[in-house]
Structure formats: C-alpha cells, structure tokens
Amino acid sequence: QVQLVESGGGLVQAGGSLRLSCTASGSIFSINGMGWYRQAPGKQRELVATITRGGTINYADSVKGRFTISRDNARNTMYLQMNSLKPEDTAVYYCHAHVVVTTTGIQSDYWGQGTQVTVSS
C-alpha cells in the first residue's frame, strides 16, 4: 500500500558530504512523523534524526551539528543532509514514516529498503 524509497547513498571520503532522500508513494492520506535510522555491521539499528509533520526535529547526539533533516510535505519527501562525515557514520541508512493510509484511515509504520553510506578514512 505504501512504499518508501531512499536514494543518495554512496562512498565518500571523511569530511565529505552526502544528501539522502526518501520519497513515499502509494495509498497515502497523510504522513505524520518521519525519521532516519542507521545500522552498522554487527550493531543494532539506531536513530539518526526525526522530524514531525509540523517540523519539530530531534537528532542523535552523534550527528548534531553535522546532519540536517528536512521534509517537503507536498512531495511526501524527507531529506538528510550529511556534512563532515566520519568513518563511524558508515552504515545502511533507513527511512521510516508513520503513514495514515487512505484505505483504512489507520496509521502504520513503514520502512524503506535502506541505502548504503560508506565513509573512507
């Protein structure tokens, strides 16, 4: 019913930048909270940043001052601008959204398939 598709990952040197995008499509009535999570090899998935529909933002301490989350409600798209990247930022980055679907009017959680970000030292 709802698909989240991430893009923008890749390989970058330490100190570089990347911009991730996540676009939602399908039977969408509205999208409430959205967020980026990441999972490094051998580690649990962790929160990177979240943003409400109204624009309230929360960041993990490890990315504060380096990453910027934003969203375009009209385009059902969320972004993550990542600057001053470090090797420890290497992970698969996942998009998450709380979506109210048109068919049921019920809010459910949806995840993207993930995009790899690799930061070389």
Side-chain angles (χ1 to χ4, degrees), residues 6-10 18-21 82 115-117:
E6 302 104 333
S7 61
L18 284 174
R19 189 191 194 210
L20 305 183
S21 299
M82 304 185 294
T115 185
Q116 177 70 47
V117 171

Side-chain angles (χ1 to χ4, degrees), residues 107-120:
Q107 177 175 286
S108 299
D109 289 347
Y110 292 89
W111 290 90
Q113 80 288 350
T115 185
Q116 177 70 47
V117 171
T118 302
V119 184
S120 62

Side-chain angles (χ1 to χ4, degrees), residues 38-52:
R38 66 187 182 186
Q39 187 167 17
K43 295 188 176 182
Q44 290 189 329
R45 191 173 296 189
E46 64 176 6
L47 179 149
V48 175
T50 60
I51 183 169
T52 67

Side-chain angles (χ1 to χ4, degrees), residues 25-85:
S25 63
S27 303
I28 298 169
F29 177 76
S30 66
I31 302 176
N32 296 321
M34 301 185 77
W36 290 98
Y37 293 74
R38 66 187 182 186
Q39 187 167 17
K43 295 188 176 182
Q44 290 189 329
R45 191 173 296 189
E46 64 176 6
L47 179 149
V48 175
T50 60
I51 183 169
T52 67
R53 185 172 181 82
T56 299
I57 290 171
N58 179 55
Y59 293 104
D61 288 343
S62 59
V63 306
K64 282 180 181 176
R66 301 188 298 121
F67 291 9
T68 302
I69 188 171
S70 61
R71 63 188 283 177
D72 183 337
N73 291 331
R75 291 180 168 81
N76 290 336
T77 299
M78 175 178 61
Y79 306 96
L80 186 68
Q81 177 66 44
M82 304 185 294
N83 299 328
S84 302
L85 282 161

